[in-house]
Amino acid sequence: MITLMLTRSYIDPEKRCGQTRTENNMNYKAEYDRWMSNVLVPDLIDELKGMDDAAIEDAFYRDLAFGTGGLRGVIGAGTNRVNIYTIAKASQGLADYVNKNFPEGERSIAISHDSRIKSDVFARVAAGVFAANGINAHIYTELMPTPCLSYAVRALKCSAGIMVTASHNPSKYNGYKVYGADGCQITTEAADAVTAEIEKLDIFEDVKMGDFNEYLDTAGSVSIKYISDQIYTDFVEEVKKQSLLGPDDEIDRNVAIVYSPLNGTGLKPVTRTLKETGFTNITVVKEQEQPDGNFPTCPYPNPEIREAMQLGIEYARKNNADLLLATDPDCDRVGIAVKDRNGEYVLLTGNQTGCLLIDYVCSQRVKNDTMPKDPIVVKTIVSTDLADQIAESYGAKVTPIDTFEQSVEMVASGRAEATINSELVYADYMKNNPDAPLKVVASTEDVAITAIPVSKGQQNLVDALNKAIDELREDGTLGELSVKYFDVDVTVLPE
């Protein structure tokens, strides 16, 4: 059974922890005074000393909210900010959760971070907290994307994983994503349990802080260890295996690709994967090539918006590129731009990319006689109904879901082989064959790179989408869904 899921994660406001401004209005000054007495970090001390009353209130009126997406906030001093103390407190809460729910001797947490300001510092602080609580920590030697963190959790059989990132938010933000032992972002139930542990803690009195260097590669029962390069290589190899090309398929691997990591983590893994699969005609956007948490060329590094893609589009025009790809700072979100029929570069929406994936995956499985019995496409209720039309044209059943947790449950229960999600990376559960080698379930980003080749003679990806729509229109199943559900320039779609 195949499952392809089109969705976007979110944090339910009712499931977040954190006090409102009204509830905590009388306490913020007292908490500020406590920080003035306890903080030892010079830059935080300077920031605290320079705060006026309004700044004090905003920084201390509540604790940072924690939910299924972890925590996220502005970098700075205060309980409502991301700093080593709030990161350590969250890490202590996660450590307490792991110690309560996993047997002694089997407790470990994998760690990665992106290019954001202080991400490397926060990752080391978290590792020290875990080690001080008797939990082995596995940390990458350099910044690595979220999908690599998810893979490491499973490959190393960890109890949990954390990714220090604020995804595609502006540079003043940072944050902390938490992953379960299955490599998936934690469910609401797990987030509530971690939140309960965090809320028990005093930020200065109850957090065990361990020195990173003292625990690094120690011979004792608890240590911090660097994740080997082999884990990263294994991840890349598993991503490459997701290709659905048949032995007789011929594609043009010399297509001109412009790629931008938007100053994030994607440069090495994306270009390596492309090159090792034969796509070597790659131009990287120079100004956005190297990691830089200030994101100097795109203040809002979300590759789904045109402003972040503008420099890449200029490169694409200059190089007459067939495809423009860009990934967000933690490389779990992709932006795609291709030429339309008028030769202008247009961004594909998430719905368009998802529909291309469904059509390509199904068509390749039919072509190669690998379509399983009773195939299923899973999508959220907010995804385009065009996905239904494409799936049904291949005899696949469409199952709508209305919560993120439902998709996780379907995979974990064995009712689905895999899921594809626009923001999160999942484990590929092989329920009936638990000893099978680990496989990566590619996110939309990975599949978009490895599973939508431009065939010889095919002008561009927009034409591929148009072709799929034309075929559906011919047999009367499409109607006006493309116009209704695609919020794009009508020139991209068939007239």
Side-chain angles (χ1 to χ4, degrees), residues 95 98-99 103-111 126-139 156-161 215 217-226:
V98 167
N99 280 331
E104 188 174 358
E106 299 180 15
R107 300 164 183 162
S108 62
I109 297 176
I111 303 168
V129 171
F130 298 145
N133 282 273
I135 300 171
N136 289 308
H138 303 276
I139 187 170
L156 297 171
K157 296 180 170 57
C158 293
S159 312
Y215 280 103
D217 290 328
T218 57
S221 58
V222 178
S223 67
I224 299 171
K225 294 187 181 300
Y226 286 122

Side-chain angles (χ1 to χ4, degrees), residues 106-311:
E106 299 180 15
R107 300 164 183 162
S108 62
I109 297 176
I111 303 168
S112 186
H113 67 84
D114 69 4
S115 61
R116 288 181 174 274
I117 297 168
K118 296 188 177 180
S119 281
D120 56 340
V121 174
F122 297 151
R124 289 163 65 96
V125 167
V129 171
F130 298 145
N133 282 273
I135 300 171
N136 289 308
H138 303 276
I139 187 170
Y140 277 106
T141 58
E142 60 180 326
L143 75 175
M144 279 286 173
T146 292
C148 293
L149 182 277
S150 176
Y151 183 82
V153 170
R154 288 171 281 131
L156 297 171
K157 296 180 170 57
C158 293
S159 312
I162 66 163
M163 179 71 191
V164 180
T165 181
S167 191
H168 52 279
N169 281 270
S171 62
K172 67 179 182 179
Y173 288 87
N174 214 324
Y176 188 105
K177 292 181 182 178
V178 179
Y179 291 79
D182 54 6
C184 304
Q185 199 161 318
I186 56 173
T187 63
T188 299
E189 181 181 5
D192 288 346
V194 175
T195 295
E197 297 298 334
I198 294 172
E199 290 180 339
K200 296 175 185 178
L201 302 171
D202 181 276
I203 197 166
F204 295 116
E205 297 179 2
D206 299 331
V207 178
K208 299 177 183 177
M209 301 280 281
D211 184 272
F212 181 90
N213 291 320
E214 288 183 5
Y215 280 103
L216 184 63
D217 290 328
T218 57
S221 58
V222 178
S223 67
I224 299 171
K225 294 187 181 300
Y226 286 122
I227 297 172
S228 71
D229 289 340
Q230 188 60 49
I231 295 294
Y232 168 53
T233 295
D234 290 345
F235 169 78
V236 172
E237 291 301 315
E238 292 293 347
V239 170
K240 288 156 60 177
K241 291 177 184 177
Q242 302 310 304
S243 173
L244 295 177
L245 289 174
D248 298 324
D249 288 334
E250 292 187 11
I251 61 172
D252 181 7
R253 297 185 186 273
N254 194 42
V255 291
I257 301 171
V258 168
Y259 169 65
S260 173
L262 296 181
N263 300 118
T265 60
L267 178 65
K268 291 183 179 181
V270 171
T271 56
R272 174 177 173 176
T273 303
L274 287 171
K275 289 176 180 178
E276 290 184 8
T277 49
F279 298 93
T280 58
N281 187 5
I282 305 168
T283 300
V284 178
V285 178
K286 189 68 175 177
E287 297 87 338
Q288 299 170 343
E289 181 176 17
Q290 297 303 320
D292 186 343
N294 293 300
F295 310 119
T297 62
C298 55
Y300 186 49
N302 181 354
E304 293 177 313
I305 63 174
R306 193 172 185 88
E307 290 80 4
M309 298 284 277
Q310 190 58 46
L311 190 56

Side-chain angles (χ1 to χ4, degrees), residues 47 58 64 72-77 80-83 172-174:
E47 183 179 349
D58 191 60
L64 274 180
R72 187 174 298 175
V74 175
I75 302 167
N80 190 33
R81 298 287 186 267
V82 176
N83 51 68
K172 67 179 182 179
Y173 288 87
N174 214 324

Side-chain angles (χ1 to χ4, degrees), residues 50-62:
M51 287 182 176
D52 58 21
D53 192 65
I56 293 172
E57 180 181 5
D58 191 60
F60 289 97
Y61 83 92
R62 65 166 216 168

Side-chain angles (χ1 to χ4, degrees), residues 194-487:
V194 175
T195 295
E197 297 298 334
I198 294 172
E199 290 180 339
K200 296 175 185 178
L201 302 171
D202 181 276
I203 197 166
F204 295 116
E205 297 179 2
D206 299 331
V207 178
K208 299 177 183 177
M209 301 280 281
D211 184 272
F212 181 90
N213 291 320
E214 288 183 5
Y215 280 103
L216 184 63
D217 290 328
T218 57
S221 58
V222 178
S223 67
I224 299 171
K225 294 187 181 300
Y226 286 122
I227 297 172
S228 71
D229 289 340
Q230 188 60 49
I231 295 294
Y232 168 53
T233 295
D234 290 345
F235 169 78
V236 172
E237 291 301 315
E238 292 293 347
V239 170
K240 288 156 60 177
K241 291 177 184 177
Q242 302 310 304
S243 173
L244 295 177
L245 289 174
D248 298 324
D249 288 334
E250 292 187 11
I251 61 172
D252 181 7
R253 297 185 186 273
N254 194 42
V255 291
I257 301 171
V258 168
Y259 169 65
S260 173
L262 296 181
N263 300 118
T265 60
L267 178 65
K268 291 183 179 181
V270 171
T271 56
R272 174 177 173 176
T273 303
L274 287 171
K275 289 176 180 178
E276 290 184 8
T277 49
F279 298 93
T280 58
N281 187 5
I282 305 168
T283 300
V284 178
V285 178
K286 189 68 175 177
E287 297 87 338
Q288 299 170 343
E289 181 176 17
Q290 297 303 320
D292 186 343
N294 293 300
F295 310 119
T297 62
C298 55
Y300 186 49
N302 181 354
E304 293 177 313
I305 63 174
R306 193 172 185 88
E307 290 80 4
M309 298 284 277
Q310 190 58 46
L311 190 56
I313 289 173
E314 293 174 11
Y315 267 70
R317 287 172 178 156
K318 180 179 179 180
N319 292 275
N320 193 28
D322 299 295
L323 176 66
L324 165 62
L325 296 173
T327 49
D328 71 337
D330 64 323
C331 198
D332 67 353
R333 177 177 300 222
V334 69
I336 302 171
V338 290
K339 289 181 182 178
D340 65 12
R341 291 175 173 178
N342 298 318
E344 294 296 324
Y345 287 93
V346 295
L347 270 61
L348 298 185
T349 67
N351 275 328
Q352 284 178 311
T353 302
C355 287
L356 278 167
L357 286 171
I358 292 171
D359 182 67
Y360 178 75
V361 170
C362 290
S363 65
Q364 284 298 106
R365 285 192 174 274
V366 168
K367 177 182 177 181
N368 297 321
D369 197 26
T370 58
M371 181 70 88
K373 182 181 179 181
D374 302 323
I376 293 177
V377 171
V378 176
K379 70 162 198 171
T380 57
I381 58 174
V382 296
S383 298
T384 173
D385 287 352
L386 182 59
D388 302 44
Q389 305 296 321
I390 295 173
E392 289 168 4
S393 73
Y394 289 101
K397 179 182 178 181
V398 177
T399 301
I401 59 173
D402 59 7
T403 67
F404 173 74
E405 284 73 19
Q406 278 183 273
S407 66
V408 176
E409 190 277 328
M410 285 194 69
V411 177
S413 67
R415 290 188 290 139
E417 178 184 294
T419 62
I420 294 177
N421 179 274
S422 65
E423 194 170 41
L424 306 173
V425 177
Y426 287 85
D428 185 2
Y429 289 84
M430 305 297 290
K431 189 176 180 63
N432 297 321
N433 189 13
D435 296 325
L438 286 173
K439 293 176 64 180
V440 171
V441 171
S443 65
T444 301
E445 295 79 6
D446 298 324
V447 177
I449 293 171
T450 64
I452 312 181
V454 180
S455 302
K456 288 184 177 179
Q458 178 179 299
Q459 292 183 356
N460 54 53
L461 290 178
V462 173
D463 280 351
L465 179 64
N466 290 336
K467 180 176 180 292
I469 292 174
D470 284 340
E471 290 174 353
L472 290 171
R473 189 182 297 278
E474 287 175 5
D475 63 19
T477 60
L478 179 61
E480 298 303 319
L481 287 172
S482 60
V483 175
K484 180 178 179 181
Y485 288 99
F486 277 85
D487 183 22

